Amino acid sequence: YLDKYIGDAIMAIYGAPLMQEDHIKKACLTAIEMMEKLNVMKQEWREKGLPSLNIGIGINTGNMVIGNIGSEQKYEYTVIGDNVNLASRLEDLNKLYGTNIIISQSVQQEIKAELLCRELDIAQVKGKTKPKTIYELVARKGNAQLEEAVESFQKGIKYYRERRWEEAIKMFNAVIDLKPEDSPSRLYIQRSRQFITSPPSDDWHGIFIINH
């Protein structure tokens, strides 16, 4: 259900107004197909010498208030609630990580067996008091090189949180060898190098606090 346009953004609702048992998977496949189509368009623009553009997508699932919301004079069929706000925050985080599709842990739990995901970070987003584990929805499964890159990235995250900075950097460089444009790996290499020269405090647990 296409809910509304918000500036240059599109807000869509899955699982309403009619219930769909696989609405989480449908939302994720839509995001993947959007990126597949965008990549084709980018190539066409390059061939024509036209400027390119990029998109960010955030997907979350959970309890929300849904229905005709507003007043007697003006109302719309939409969703509101904390879980809606989180999806918006996830979309915005793509700029920080250089990704295109960020999903919540609740979404990842539902689709991880069928679609390729990787843990990106434990982040405390603006307006939230508790950190959330966030994931990138990478692609459909079946690409051996991408799957190897994801596996190496997860090892890098593990070493990073264990303060094994040099080993983490090696793993993230291994990801870049397989996926040269991988922005999250470059971000973690930068963070790891900073921690080598200026280690975090003893109570650091790998949580990244985002204030914007």
Side-chain angles (χ1 to χ4, degrees):
Y1 173 67
L2 177 56
D3 183 11
K4 62 173 71 73
Y5 291 94
I6 310 166
D8 63 350
I10 297 171
M11 178 174 168
I13 302 167
Y14 286 75
L18 299 176
M19 182 60 189
Q20 297 169 303
E21 293 298 329
D22 60 346
H23 62 279
I24 299 172
K25 180 182 175 183
K26 278 188 165 68
C28 291
L29 287 175
T30 298
I32 289 172
E33 289 174 16
M34 286 171 68
M35 288 309 307
E36 290 171 348
K37 179 62 177 177
L38 178 62
N39 289 331
V40 171
M41 294 169 71
K42 281 182 176 181
Q43 181 61 35
E44 293 173 354
W45 294 331
R46 276 193 295 269
E47 291 171 358
K48 295 177 181 177
L50 298 173
S52 187
L53 60 82
N54 209 2
I55 60 174
I57 302 168
I59 305 174
N60 187 32
T61 187
N63 293 328
M64 305 170 189
V65 175
I66 184 164
N68 293 324
I69 296 170
S71 67
E72 290 183 359
Q73 286 74 35
K74 179 176 173 59
Y75 64 84
E76 62 179 347
Y77 184 85
T78 189
V79 289
I80 59 173
D82 195 52
N83 281 313
V84 181
N85 297 337
L86 178 58
S88 177
R89 299 285 188 221
L90 296 178
E91 181 274 323
D92 194 50
L93 288 182
N94 283 291
K95 300 185 188 76
L96 174 64
Y97 293 95
T99 51
N100 292 106
I101 311 169
I102 295 182
I103 61 177
S104 65
Q105 188 169 23
S106 54
V107 171
Q108 184 263 353
Q109 291 296 312
E110 293 292 330
I111 54 92
K112 63 182 179 181
E114 299 179 71
L115 302 173
L116 185 61
C117 309
R118 65 171 166 180
E119 183 180 340
L120 267 184
D121 211 344
I122 303 173
Q124 184 174 321
V125 299
K126 184 180 178 181
K128 307 294 179 185
T129 56
K130 292 183 179 180
K132 302 279 188 181
T133 304
I134 61 173
Y135 297 80
E136 179 189 10
L137 176 57
V138 179
R140 306 171 198 269
K141 285 192 173 180
N143 184 319
Q145 185 168 318
L146 268 182
E147 290 175 5
E148 185 181 349
V150 166
E151 185 177 344
S152 295
F153 186 85
Q154 299 304 167
K155 288 179 181 176
I157 290 278
K158 177 178 179 291
Y159 295 149
Y160 171 81
R161 292 184 185 147
E162 292 173 352
R163 302 171 185 246
R164 296 157 65 181
W165 316 120
E166 296 288 357
E167 291 171 88
I169 289 170
K170 286 180 182 177
M171 292 312 305
F172 293 128
N173 275 321
V175 176
I176 292 170
D177 288 340
L178 294 164
K179 195 170 178 280
E181 75 287 358
D182 195 59
S183 295
S185 292
R186 297 184 188 279
L187 177 64
Y188 272 102
I189 289 171
Q190 180 185 358
R191 287 187 192 176
S192 297
R193 285 175 176 160
Q194 288 173 344
F195 282 142
I196 288 172
T197 56
S198 180
S201 60
D202 292 341
D203 61 353
W204 179 81
H205 298 293
I207 297 169
F208 186 70
I209 298 174
I210 300 162
N211 295 314
H212 60 277

